[in-house]
Amino acid sequence: MSKIAVPVTLCIALSGALALPAYSAQLDISVEVPKLNVAEYHRPYVAIWLEGADQKVAANLSVWYQHRDSAEGHGTKWLPDLRQWWRKSGRTLQVPVDGVTGPTKPVGTHALSFTDKQPQLKELAPGEYTLVVEAVREVGGRELLKIPFAWPAQGGQQTKQAQGNSELGAVAVIVKP
């Protein structure tokens, strides 16, 4: 083999490695808003966030609340009813928050997906976290679910789930490396 062949072969091999797609860690969440058989139904306010091992908010992922004004006022008036989220993070936020806040959701399963390139997860250090989902409904109840997981996933996809009893149905988190 000539002296020139080695660098050419090495360059070709490296150029192929650079052409590989860049993969990023991904966090997929599904939240079920259950159908309730009640006389007066209101869509729930829902807050979805991540807590670190210190139980402090690491990232706000989504907050669903009433955006329109009504006879009772604007929906932000009722955000403090999401007690845990409000105490830990909500009171310091200036809502609406682009990419985080949105309108309440109807009955059904709702999917959220985030990558480590998005603002919510961009600064998230590797470690142990807890997905927290809190729901509260006018003339209804309150429910809080917590699902621990590791970020990013090590050695393959991890799936964790929890089942609500009243205001939330099935909640799942899938972490992909």
Side-chain angles (χ1 to χ4, degrees):
M1 195 189 253
S2 73
K3 291 182 183 181
I4 297 174
V6 174
V8 171
T9 306
L10 182 60
C11 287
I12 292 171
L14 287 177
S15 68
L18 294 175
L20 292 174
Y23 292 101
S24 60
Q26 185 169 325
L27 184 70
D28 293 331
I29 301 166
S30 70
V31 177
E32 180 186 14
V33 174
K35 181 176 169 120
L36 302 174
N37 189 14
V38 294
E40 185 177 345
Y41 179 80
H42 299 272
R43 289 181 178 182
Y45 280 31
V46 177
I48 304 165
W49 73 95
L50 300 180
E51 288 183 355
D54 60 0
Q55 296 186 339
K56 291 184 180 176
V57 173
N60 281 298
L61 300 178
S62 194
V63 179
W64 306 336
Y65 69 98
Q66 178 183 324
H67 281 205
R68 294 186 313 258
D69 284 328
S70 69
E72 298 170 337
H74 194 271
T76 56
K77 176 181 178 181
W78 307 108
L79 284 174
D81 287 350
L82 291 163
R83 290 182 191 155
Q84 293 298 316
W85 172 78
W86 184 256
R87 288 181 188 141
K88 292 185 177 210
S89 176
R91 72 176 97 198
T92 61
L93 289 179
Q94 186 74 26
V95 292
V97 179
D98 189 33
V100 174
T101 56
T104 58
K105 307 290 185 206
V107 169
T109 301
H110 305 279
L112 299 122
S113 188
F114 304 92
T115 69
D116 60 359
K117 306 292 186 245
Q118 291 176 274
Q120 293 92 332
L121 303 182
K122 195 173 193 174
E123 304 296 321
L124 201 63
E128 297 297 317
Y129 291 91
T130 302
L131 172 72
V132 185
V133 180
E134 182 177 21
V136 63
R137 193 171 48 85
E138 183 183 352
V139 193
R142 172 181 329 285
E143 189 159 20
L144 183 88
L145 293 177
K146 294 185 173 193
I147 305 173
F149 68 94
W151 176 262
Q154 301 296 321
Q157 177 175 305
Q158 61 174 305
T159 302
K160 307 273 182 117
Q161 51 192 13
Q163 179 64 44
N165 294 317
S166 58
E167 302 305 321
L168 292 167
V171 174
V173 60
I174 300 169
V175 185
K176 299 175 183 174

mmCIF file of all heavy atoms in Angstrom, residues 132-158:
data_model
loop_
_atom_site.group_PDB
_atom_site.id
_atom_site.type_symbol
_atom_site.label_atom_id
_atom_site.label_comp_id
_atom_site.label_asym_id
_atom_site.label_seq_id
_atom_site.Cartn_x
_atom_site.Cartn_y
_atom_site.Cartn_z
ATOM 1 N N VAL A 132 -43.920 15.165 36.606
ATOM 2 C CA VAL A 132 -45.049 15.469 37.488
ATOM 3 C C VAL A 132 -46.186 16.010 36.624
ATOM 4 O O VAL A 132 -45.981 16.901 35.799
ATOM 5 C CB VAL A 132 -44.672 16.502 38.564
ATOM 6 C CG1 VAL A 132 -45.833 16.704 39.538
ATOM 7 C CG2 VAL A 132 -43.417 16.082 39.316
ATOM 8 N N VAL A 133 -47.376 15.440 36.810
ATOM 9 C CA VAL A 133 -48.568 15.889 36.094
ATOM 10 C C VAL A 133 -49.626 16.200 37.151
ATOM 11 O O VAL A 133 -49.980 15.334 37.946
ATOM 12 C CB VAL A 133 -49.088 14.820 35.109
ATOM 13 C CG1 VAL A 133 -50.324 15.326 34.376
ATOM 14 C CG2 VAL A 133 -48.002 14.408 34.130
ATOM 15 N N GLU A 134 -50.086 17.446 37.148
ATOM 16 C CA GLU A 134 -51.104 17.875 38.107
ATOM 17 C C GLU A 134 -52.322 18.359 37.336
ATOM 18 O O GLU A 134 -52.189 19.096 36.363
ATOM 19 C CB GLU A 134 -50.560 19.003 38.980
ATOM 20 C CG GLU A 134 -51.539 19.469 40.040
ATOM 21 C CD GLU A 134 -50.964 20.541 40.962
ATOM 22 O OE1 GLU A 134 -49.976 21.219 40.587
ATOM 23 O OE2 GLU A 134 -51.522 20.708 42.057
ATOM 24 N N ALA A 135 -53.494 17.934 37.778
ATOM 25 C CA ALA A 135 -54.746 18.352 37.140
ATOM 26 C C ALA A 135 -55.728 18.806 38.203
ATOM 27 O O ALA A 135 -55.807 18.222 39.289
ATOM 28 C CB ALA A 135 -55.345 17.201 36.336
ATOM 29 N N VAL A 136 -56.466 19.860 37.876
ATOM 30 C CA VAL A 136 -57.513 20.359 38.763
ATOM 31 C C VAL A 136 -58.670 20.818 37.877
ATOM 32 O O VAL A 136 -58.456 21.333 36.780
ATOM 33 C CB VAL A 136 -56.996 21.497 39.672
ATOM 34 C CG1 VAL A 136 -56.557 22.697 38.864
ATOM 35 C CG2 VAL A 136 -58.026 21.881 40.706
ATOM 36 N N ARG A 137 -59.867 20.592 38.371
ATOM 37 C CA ARG A 137 -61.046 20.913 37.572
ATOM 38 C C ARG A 137 -62.048 21.672 38.420
ATOM 39 O O ARG A 137 -62.294 21.326 39.581
ATOM 40 C CB ARG A 137 -61.658 19.608 37.061
ATOM 41 C CG ARG A 137 -62.686 19.750 35.990
ATOM 42 C CD ARG A 137 -63.060 18.388 35.421
ATOM 43 N NE ARG A 137 -63.333 17.400 36.439
ATOM 44 C CZ ARG A 137 -64.517 17.252 37.023
ATOM 45 N NH1 ARG A 137 -65.527 18.014 36.695
ATOM 46 N NH2 ARG A 137 -64.683 16.332 37.945
ATOM 47 N N GLU A 138 -62.636 22.720 37.839
ATOM 48 C CA GLU A 138 -63.692 23.467 38.516
ATOM 49 C C GLU A 138 -64.860 22.534 38.793
ATOM 50 O O GLU A 138 -65.244 21.736 37.935
ATOM 51 C CB GLU A 138 -64.138 24.633 37.626
ATOM 52 C CG GLU A 138 -65.168 25.514 38.261
ATOM 53 C CD GLU A 138 -65.634 26.622 37.330
ATOM 54 O OE1 GLU A 138 -65.054 26.796 36.246
ATOM 55 O OE2 GLU A 138 -66.600 27.305 37.702
ATOM 56 N N VAL A 139 -65.407 22.624 39.982
ATOM 57 C CA VAL A 139 -66.485 21.750 40.437
ATOM 58 C C VAL A 139 -66.027 20.292 40.307
ATOM 59 O O VAL A 139 -66.783 19.410 39.938
ATOM 60 C CB VAL A 139 -67.808 21.973 39.656
ATOM 61 C CG1 VAL A 139 -68.975 21.295 40.371
ATOM 62 C CG2 VAL A 139 -68.122 23.448 39.468
ATOM 63 N N GLY A 140 -64.779 20.066 40.566
ATOM 64 C CA GLY A 140 -64.219 18.719 40.472
ATOM 65 C C GLY A 140 -63.143 18.540 41.514
ATOM 66 O O GLY A 140 -63.143 19.188 42.556
ATOM 67 N N GLY A 141 -62.216 17.697 41.194
ATOM 68 C CA GLY A 141 -61.168 17.373 42.148
ATOM 69 C C GLY A 141 -59.801 17.814 41.668
ATOM 70 O O GLY A 141 -59.655 18.588 40.728
ATOM 71 N N ARG A 142 -58.811 17.270 42.340
ATOM 72 C CA ARG A 142 -57.415 17.566 42.067
ATOM 73 C C ARG A 142 -56.671 16.225 42.087
ATOM 74 O O ARG A 142 -56.987 15.348 42.865
ATOM 75 C CB ARG A 142 -56.875 18.469 43.172
ATOM 76 C CG ARG A 142 -55.430 18.736 43.178
ATOM 77 C CD ARG A 142 -54.998 19.620 44.345
ATOM 78 N NE ARG A 142 -55.973 20.584 44.818
ATOM 79 C CZ ARG A 142 -56.308 21.719 44.206
ATOM 80 N NH1 ARG A 142 -55.724 22.041 43.074
ATOM 81 N NH2 ARG A 142 -57.203 22.524 44.709
ATOM 82 N N GLU A 143 -55.681 16.111 41.213
ATOM 83 C CA GLU A 143 -54.891 14.877 41.198
ATOM 84 C C GLU A 143 -53.465 15.194 40.763
ATOM 85 O O GLU A 143 -53.243 16.056 39.914
ATOM 86 C CB GLU A 143 -55.509 13.848 40.255
ATOM 87 C CG GLU A 143 -54.869 12.496 40.364
ATOM 88 C CD GLU A 143 -55.757 11.379 39.856
ATOM 89 O OE1 GLU A 143 -56.709 11.637 39.089
ATOM 90 O OE2 GLU A 143 -55.470 10.222 40.206
ATOM 91 N N LEU A 144 -52.515 14.489 41.352
ATOM 92 C CA LEU A 144 -51.101 14.675 41.065
ATOM 93 C C LEU A 144 -50.467 13.305 40.873
ATOM 94 O O LEU A 144 -50.627 12.426 41.724
ATOM 95 C CB LEU A 144 -50.427 15.408 42.229
ATOM 96 C CG LEU A 144 -48.970 15.742 42.043
ATOM 97 C CD1 LEU A 144 -48.836 17.094 41.342
ATOM 98 C CD2 LEU A 144 -48.280 15.809 43.390
ATOM 99 N N LEU A 145 -49.791 13.121 39.743
ATOM 100 C CA LEU A 145 -49.076 11.875 39.477
ATOM 101 C C LEU A 145 -47.600 12.175 39.291
ATOM 102 O O LEU A 145 -47.237 13.186 38.675
ATOM 103 C CB LEU A 145 -49.613 11.196 38.210
ATOM 104 C CG LEU A 145 -51.041 10.662 38.265
ATOM 105 C CD1 LEU A 145 -51.444 10.098 36.906
ATOM 106 C CD2 LEU A 145 -51.187 9.598 39.331
ATOM 107 N N LYS A 146 -46.735 11.287 39.803
ATOM 108 C CA LYS A 146 -45.290 11.430 39.659
ATOM 109 C C LYS A 146 -44.717 10.141 39.079
ATOM 110 O O LYS A 146 -45.062 9.057 39.536
ATOM 111 C CB LYS A 146 -44.636 11.714 41.009
ATOM 112 C CG LYS A 146 -45.026 13.049 41.596
ATOM 113 C CD LYS A 146 -44.245 13.325 42.870
ATOM 114 C CE LYS A 146 -44.512 14.744 43.357
ATOM 115 N NZ LYS A 146 -43.558 15.148 44.392
ATOM 116 N N ILE A 147 -43.838 10.304 38.087
ATOM 117 C CA ILE A 147 -43.201 9.150 37.444
ATOM 118 C C ILE A 147 -41.697 9.409 37.372
ATOM 119 O O ILE A 147 -41.253 10.278 36.631
ATOM 120 C CB ILE A 147 -43.754 8.910 36.023
ATOM 121 C CG1 ILE A 147 -45.282 8.777 36.042
ATOM 122 C CG2 ILE A 147 -43.095 7.687 35.399
ATOM 123 C CD1 ILE A 147 -45.925 8.718 34.666
ATOM 124 N N PRO A 148 -40.894 8.650 38.137
ATOM 125 C CA PRO A 148 -39.443 8.839 38.088
ATOM 126 C C PRO A 148 -38.841 8.195 36.836
ATOM 127 O O PRO A 148 -39.338 7.172 36.354
ATOM 128 C CB PRO A 148 -38.952 8.146 39.357
ATOM 129 C CG PRO A 148 -40.013 7.166 39.701
ATOM 130 C CD PRO A 148 -41.306 7.690 39.139
ATOM 131 N N PHE A 149 -37.760 8.807 36.317
ATOM 132 C CA PHE A 149 -37.058 8.263 35.158
ATOM 133 C C PHE A 149 -35.644 8.822 35.119
ATOM 134 O O PHE A 149 -35.325 9.789 35.817
ATOM 135 C CB PHE A 149 -37.807 8.586 33.851
ATOM 136 C CG PHE A 149 -37.811 10.047 33.504
ATOM 137 C CD1 PHE A 149 -36.843 10.577 32.659
ATOM 138 C CD2 PHE A 149 -38.770 10.903 34.030
ATOM 139 C CE1 PHE A 149 -36.838 11.926 32.346
ATOM 140 C CE2 PHE A 149 -38.774 12.260 33.721
ATOM 141 C CZ PHE A 149 -37.797 12.768 32.867
ATOM 142 N N ALA A 150 -34.802 8.211 34.306
ATOM 143 C CA ALA A 150 -33.422 8.674 34.126
ATOM 144 C C ALA A 150 -33.307 9.399 32.796
ATOM 145 O O ALA A 150 -33.879 8.974 31.790
ATOM 146 C CB ALA A 150 -32.465 7.496 34.158
ATOM 147 N N TRP A 151 -32.565 10.510 32.783
ATOM 148 C CA TRP A 151 -32.338 11.289 31.563
ATOM 149 C C TRP A 151 -30.852 11.409 31.320
ATOM 150 O O TRP A 151 -30.132 11.766 32.237
ATOM 151 C CB TRP A 151 -32.957 12.662 31.680
ATOM 152 C CG TRP A 151 -32.682 13.530 30.492
ATOM 153 C CD1 TRP A 151 -31.710 14.490 30.389
ATOM 154 C CD2 TRP A 151 -33.346 13.507 29.236
ATOM 155 N NE1 TRP A 151 -31.747 15.063 29.155
ATOM 156 C CE2 TRP A 151 -32.745 14.470 28.418
ATOM 157 C CE3 TRP A 151 -34.393 12.744 28.713
ATOM 158 C CZ2 TRP A 151 -33.152 14.716 27.113
ATOM 159 C CZ3 TRP A 151 -34.795 12.994 27.423
ATOM 160 C CH2 TRP A 151 -34.183 13.963 26.637
ATOM 161 N N PRO A 152 -30.387 11.158 30.128
ATOM 162 C CA PRO A 152 -31.073 10.489 29.017
ATOM 163 C C PRO A 152 -31.131 8.988 29.278
ATOM 164 O O PRO A 152 -30.487 8.487 30.197
ATOM 165 C CB PRO A 152 -30.176 10.815 27.819
ATOM 166 C CG PRO A 152 -28.805 10.967 28.393
ATOM 167 C CD PRO A 152 -29.013 11.537 29.782
ATOM 168 N N ALA A 153 -31.897 8.299 28.470
ATOM 169 C CA ALA A 153 -32.022 6.841 28.623
ATOM 170 C C ALA A 153 -30.674 6.191 28.377
ATOM 171 O O ALA A 153 -29.963 6.559 27.454
ATOM 172 C CB ALA A 153 -33.060 6.296 27.646
ATOM 173 N N GLN A 154 -30.326 5.238 29.202
ATOM 174 C CA GLN A 154 -29.072 4.505 29.053
ATOM 175 C C GLN A 154 -29.382 3.095 28.544
ATOM 176 O O GLN A 154 -30.197 2.403 29.127
ATOM 177 C CB GLN A 154 -28.341 4.416 30.402
ATOM 178 C CG GLN A 154 -28.004 5.762 31.002
ATOM 179 C CD GLN A 154 -27.026 6.551 30.156
ATOM 180 O OE1 GLN A 154 -26.090 6.002 29.595
ATOM 181 N NE2 GLN A 154 -27.264 7.855 30.043
ATOM 182 N N GLY A 155 -28.743 2.700 27.470
ATOM 183 C CA GLY A 155 -28.884 1.336 26.978
ATOM 184 C C GLY A 155 -30.210 1.004 26.340
ATOM 185 O O GLY A 155 -30.595 -0.142 26.278
ATOM 186 N N GLY A 156 -30.946 1.981 25.892
ATOM 187 C CA GLY A 156 -32.204 1.695 25.207
ATOM 188 C C GLY A 156 -33.358 2.491 25.780
ATOM 189 O O GLY A 156 -33.239 3.198 26.766
ATOM 190 N N GLN A 157 -34.476 2.342 25.141
ATOM 191 C CA GLN A 157 -35.683 3.073 25.497
ATOM 192 C C GLN A 157 -36.207 2.635 26.856
ATOM 193 O O GLN A 157 -36.198 1.454 27.175
ATOM 194 C CB GLN A 157 -36.729 2.806 24.418
ATOM 195 C CG GLN A 157 -38.072 3.424 24.674
ATOM 196 C CD GLN A 157 -39.002 3.207 23.512
ATOM 197 O OE1 GLN A 157 -38.681 3.544 22.392
ATOM 198 N NE2 GLN A 157 -40.158 2.627 23.785
ATOM 199 N N GLN A 158 -36.662 3.569 27.659
ATOM 200 C CA GLN A 158 -37.326 3.225 28.916
ATOM 201 C C GLN A 158 -38.741 3.786 28.904
ATOM 202 O O GLN A 158 -38.973 4.903 28.448
ATOM 203 C CB GLN A 158 -36.536 3.718 30.133
ATOM 204 C CG GLN A 158 -36.332 5.217 30.207
ATOM 205 C CD GLN A 158 -35.673 5.645 31.498
ATOM 206 O OE1 GLN A 158 -36.165 5.331 32.576
ATOM 207 N NE2 GLN A 158 -34.565 6.356 31.392
#
